[in-house]
Amino acid sequence: METAFSASMGTEVEVSEPLIEKITAEEDQLIPEWKDQITIRGLAVSAIMGTLFCIITHRLNLTVGIIPSLNIAAGLLGFLSVKSWTSFLSKLGFSTKPFTRQENTVIQTCVVACYGLAASGGFGSSFLAMDKRTYKLIGTEYPGNRAEDVKNPGLGWMIVFMFVVSFVGLFSLVALRKVMILDGKLTYPSGTATAVLINGFHTNAGAELAGMQVRCIGKYLSISFLCSSFKWFFSGVGDSCGFDNFPSFGLILFKNTFYFDFSPTYVGCGLICPRIVNCSVLLGAIVSWGFLWPYISQHAGDWYPADLGNSDFKGLYGYKVFIAISLILGDGLYNLIKIISVTFKELCNKRTKSIIMLTCTFADTESSRLLIDQKKRENVFLKDGIPTWFAASGYVGLAAISTATIPTIFPPLKWYLVLLLYLIAPALAFCNSYGAGLTDCSLSLTYAKIGLFIIASLVGTNGGVIAGLAACGVMMSIVSTAADLMQDFKTGYLTLSSAKSMFVSQLLGTAMGCVFAPLTFWMYWTAFDIGSPDGPYKAPYAVILREMAILGIEGFSELPKHCLALCCGFFVAALVINLLRDVIPEKISKFIPVPMAMAIPFFVGAYLAIDMFVGTVILFIWERINRKDSEDYAGAVASGLICGDGIWTMPSAVLSIFSINPPICMYFGPTVSS
């Protein structure tokens, strides 16, 4: 899944279907019916985990915009929760229903559907881009930035919007599950990796490893929680106190945001994200905060007025935002064209490849056995079908409800424009889902930006900003949930889970997310200063998306001097870098940076890059000392660090709501000579 940024960034998980363990006769006979795969205890666990993952996702979305895949963590914690509960009841003498891999898969699917809405619902992007703070950040006198184009987040309208939009994407491609999973044999690397994990849990050896991973998660979750709570006592009032502003490399580099802020979340992200992504983020920080911004600052008074505020788009802030946008758009456009091209090429070659695969399958006895297992999985996957008429009527009905409802929430987005979005959404959802199956890279935000530009330009100056941002939210939800559904179908296929139970659990998880995602976001909104450029919750994509909507209407006339030329240069650089990654041999191309990852610190700051690089250095050393341990436990350590820091957000928010401030402000400054 991807909202602001996908941690996978097109890097594939090296897992193929033959690595999925063989189906035993006992397993074949004990596969539960689809209704039995969905349990009350599973839904209860899903609700608790979904809430926690929503909190974590919002935190990541509002701070840096990087959201690593939490699918594997969902599968692991789901196994931990139910297994611990059943063990506890067994010790008390109660009989419990066996915990199957199918139930584990349903829990994972439900949790992913729930927190997926926190990622793709627009909470850290399009919703905040409409609010009054973002309007003021851009400037009340900025051309195209009108006071009428302001809509602050509201719990009521956000929940309604989630319910009328979020289910549509699930019905857009469900009828194509056989084409995508069985006929196309798409890999869906994250879904396959999650299936390998879940299948491994439900073996004797796998259960033992899972128990050790669970203890590892608990250990590092506790460390992370205690670390975050300890940091709170020294964070004082304001944005300049505490360990979050620790000048690790000296005060001069600290002014350029080069410091380590002791964030367990970002160190955990560094452990999970591919190494090339972490290195790309660091390179982007060095290019921007190490060279580019200091160079442009030297021309203050010539290129832009020297007396402008830190958040004025006519000054240095404008360079930061628009150059970051250029890199993101260049990377997104290249990958969009690439994935569409690969999609059509694969579709054209599908028949030929199927013949080749069938010929190879019968080459030896082992392959024949794998083919038999594959047929069993296909039979289970297709046994409880979802009728095409049901999917089609569901999409049409939900689209009709949404078309009638959304204009009441966002009046500038007329019903016929909403209808236009739903007419083109299935095609874009197919491209995104097919591309995710091939590369594990979801481009939902890129497709959403296309909708933003089109609708904003069609509506014009009178409401185009709000209409474009609302269209961005609608499109992102559809294409993201469709790709998530196919990832989960792949997991279900490989764990012998019913397609119907997968779809129903997606519906239930989405319903949970429609409530939990807005509620947990509202906790942040009421407790913290969301969107402040000097605070921890900068919400970087809010400003970027509002500027994109304004650009769709006004053009580039108000940019600072040389800003457009620099933007064009970085846009072309993103295209060239991506092209080099594809044409150069892999042994060299794997060291070429990812432009979209480089763009993140351009706007956010270099401290993020330092934290994530610390995570990747820890993993690198760990791999050199004991590769097997690192493969088994790195994900567990990262999950514990991220979850512990995320859990601390709840008591921190409660303290903030009741105006209980930290007792100490730890501040660092230069020595004052006597």
Side-chain angles (χ1 to χ4, degrees):
M1 110 180 54
E2 180 256 6
T3 165
F5 178 77
S6 173
S8 60
M9 289 304 299
T11 55
E12 297 187 15
V13 181
E14 297 295 336
V15 179
S16 58
E17 286 188 29
L19 291 179
I20 306 297
E21 62 196 49
K22 298 179 180 64
I23 303 170
T24 65
E26 182 181 2
E27 288 173 337
D28 198 18
Q29 295 171 0
L30 296 179
I31 296 174
E33 293 295 322
W34 76 268
K35 291 181 181 179
D36 297 327
Q37 297 174 20
I38 304 172
T39 62
I40 298 297
R41 69 184 180 191
L43 294 178
V45 168
S46 298
I48 296 171
M49 288 176 53
T51 303
L52 172 61
F53 279 39
C54 280
I55 292 171
I56 294 170
T57 301
H58 284 315
R59 177 179 173 81
L60 294 170
N61 217 355
L62 294 171
T63 51
V64 296
I66 294 180
I67 304 174
S69 174
L70 301 175
N71 294 32
I72 291 178
L76 176 59
L77 291 175
F79 178 84
L80 155 69
S81 302
V82 177
K83 207 69 176 175
S84 301
W85 176 247
T86 54
S87 298
F88 175 72
L89 290 180
S90 297
K91 290 179 180 178
L92 295 179
F94 294 97
S95 61
T96 57
K97 182 180 179 181
F99 182 43
T100 64
R101 68 186 67 198
Q102 289 79 18
E103 185 180 357
N104 201 161
T105 304
V106 164
I107 292 172
Q108 181 266 340
T109 299
C110 203
V111 173
V112 170
C114 182
Y115 91 79
L117 294 189
S120 64
F123 297 100
S125 52
S126 56
F127 288 174
L128 287 180
M130 303 177 188
D131 78 347
K132 192 171 184 178
R133 175 181 286 279
T134 306
Y135 159 73
K136 289 183 176 180
L137 274 177
I138 292 176
T140 56
E141 303 299 324
Y142 193 83
N145 190 36
R146 307 186 315 148
E148 293 84 354
D149 292 325
V150 170
K151 187 176 182 66
N152 285 320
L155 190 58
W157 72 256
M158 288 191 299
I159 291 177
V160 172
F161 181 81
M162 287 291 100
F163 270 105
V164 298
V165 168
S166 302
F167 292 92
V168 184
L170 299 179
F171 287 87
S172 61
L173 294 183
V174 66
L176 298 179
R177 69 193 183 283
K178 181 177 180 295
V179 173
M180 308 283 269
I181 305 299
L182 302 184
D183 299 338
K185 299 188 183 300
L186 297 178
T187 307
Y188 287 103
S190 291
T192 301
T194 305
V196 171
L197 182 79
I198 291 174
N199 282 332
F201 286 161
H202 296 271
T203 62
N204 292 332
E208 182 180 350
L209 175 61
M212 298 176 69
Q213 289 174 327
V214 163
R215 287 190 287 273
C216 183
I217 287 179
K219 174 183 175 181
Y220 284 93
L221 186 150
S222 302
I223 292 173
S224 176
F225 182 86
L226 292 173
C227 175
S228 298
S229 58
F230 178 78
K231 286 168 56 182
W232 178 84
F233 283 96
F234 299 90
S235 58
V237 179
D239 302 318
S240 59
C241 303
F243 287 94
D244 290 343
N245 295 278
F246 189 90
S248 319
F249 309 113
L251 291 173
I252 295 177
L253 288 176
F254 176 78
K255 290 180 181 179
N256 284 334
T257 71
F258 282 96
Y259 59 92
F260 178 63
D261 72 346
F262 299 91
S263 170
T265 295
Y266 305 148
V267 174
C269 288
L271 287 167
I272 291 178
C273 290
R275 190 166 294 142
I276 186 60
V277 171
N278 297 324
C279 293
S280 298
V281 173
L282 181 63
L283 178 61
I286 294 171
V287 170
S288 57
W289 292 92
F291 296 100
L292 189 58
W293 305 152
Y295 175 77
I296 294 176
S297 297
Q298 293 175 0
H299 293 81
D302 179 15
W303 289 14
Y304 60 91
D307 57 348
L308 297 178
N310 291 334
S311 59
D312 196 314
F313 272 84
K314 295 181 181 179
L316 181 61
Y317 193 68
Y319 291 96
K320 294 178 183 178
V321 171
F322 286 107
I323 291 176
I325 289 174
S326 300
L327 272 174
I328 292 169
L329 286 179
D331 186 279
L333 179 63
Y334 181 91
N335 281 289
L336 177 62
I337 295 172
K338 172 185 171 182
I339 287 176
I340 291 175
S341 301
V342 171
T343 298
F344 282 108
K345 181 179 179 181
E346 290 292 320
L347 286 174
C348 293
N349 294 338
K350 184 179 66 178
R351 182 178 298 274
T352 303
K353 290 175 70 178
S354 298
I355 293 172
I356 294 172
M357 291 177 64
L358 186 61
T359 303
C360 294
T361 302
F362 286 99
D364 53 48
T365 305
E366 179 66 18
S367 296
S368 299
R369 191 178 300 116
L370 288 173
L371 180 63
I372 294 172
D373 286 350
Q374 179 182 320
K375 290 299 295 181
K376 289 179 180 178
R377 295 184 194 279
E378 291 178 0
N379 291 335
V380 172
F381 187 68
L382 298 174
K383 177 183 175 184
D384 301 307
I386 302 168
T388 302
W389 66 266
F390 177 77
S393 58
Y395 185 84
V396 172
L398 290 171
I401 295 172
S402 184
T403 301
T405 306
I406 289 178
T408 65
I409 303 174
F410 306 107
L413 187 59
K414 304 302 182 183
W415 68 268
Y416 49 85
L417 296 175
V418 180
L419 181 61
L420 175 64
L421 291 174
Y422 284 122
L423 289 175
I424 64 176
L428 297 180
F430 174 80
C431 291
N432 190 47
S433 298
Y434 205 106
L438 294 170
T439 66
D440 208 30
C441 182
S442 173
L443 299 176
S444 57
L445 186 58
T446 302
Y447 290 102
K449 290 171 189 171
I450 295 172
L452 184 155
F453 275 117
I454 293 174
I455 298 299
S457 60
L458 288 175
V459 175
T461 56
N462 189 20
V465 171
I466 290 292
L469 292 171
C472 176
V474 172
M475 188 64 72
M476 183 162 56
S477 176
I478 295 173
V479 297
S480 179
T481 52
D484 290 345
L485 178 64
M486 287 300 162
Q487 286 274 16
D488 289 329
F489 272 146
K490 183 70 174 185
T491 303
Y493 164 68
L494 295 174
T495 56
L496 297 171
S497 302
S498 165
K500 187 174 287 187
S501 70
M502 291 285 92
F503 185 65
V504 172
S505 63
Q506 274 275 351
L507 292 175
L508 294 172
T510 300
M512 292 178 188
C514 289
V515 178
F516 297 155
L519 283 174
T520 49
F521 171 77
W522 194 249
M523 178 189 72
Y524 281 95
W525 176 257
T526 54
F528 303 110
D529 192 13
I530 303 299
S532 170
D534 300 317
Y537 298 100
K538 294 179 175 64
Y541 281 90
V543 171
I544 288 174
L545 289 183
R546 189 174 183 92
E547 273 294 341
M548 286 183 174
I550 294 172
L551 284 176
I553 300 168
E554 295 292 328
F556 301 93
S557 58
E558 296 298 320
L559 295 181
K561 190 176 182 181
H562 302 304
C563 184
L564 183 59
L566 287 169
C567 289
C568 292
F570 277 91
F571 179 85
V572 173
L575 297 176
V576 172
I577 290 172
N578 274 295
L579 182 62
L580 289 175
R581 285 173 59 86
D582 285 338
V583 300
I584 290 178
E586 185 180 356
K587 63 181 180 180
I588 300 175
S589 66
K590 65 182 180 181
F591 297 108
I592 297 178
V594 181
M596 191 175 290
M598 291 179 61
I600 302 299
F602 273 58
F603 179 74
V604 175
Y607 62 89
L608 158 72
I610 302 297
D611 291 353
M612 294 183 67
F613 191 71
V614 167
T616 205
V617 168
I618 292 172
L619 182 61
F620 179 80
I621 296 172
W622 193 358
E623 288 174 344
R624 293 300 175 272
I625 297 174
N626 192 326
R627 176 171 289 274
K628 187 178 187 308
D629 271 4
S630 69
E631 292 174 350
D632 289 341
Y633 298 109
V637 172
S639 298
L641 291 174
I642 294 172
C643 289
D645 200 17
I647 291 172
W648 168 250
T649 302
M650 290 185 281
S652 174
V654 172
L655 292 170
S656 179
I657 290 171
F658 287 99
S659 300
I660 301 175
N661 297 317
I664 303 171
C665 173
M666 185 174 66
Y667 173 77
F668 299 90
T671 301
V672 179
S673 57
S674 57

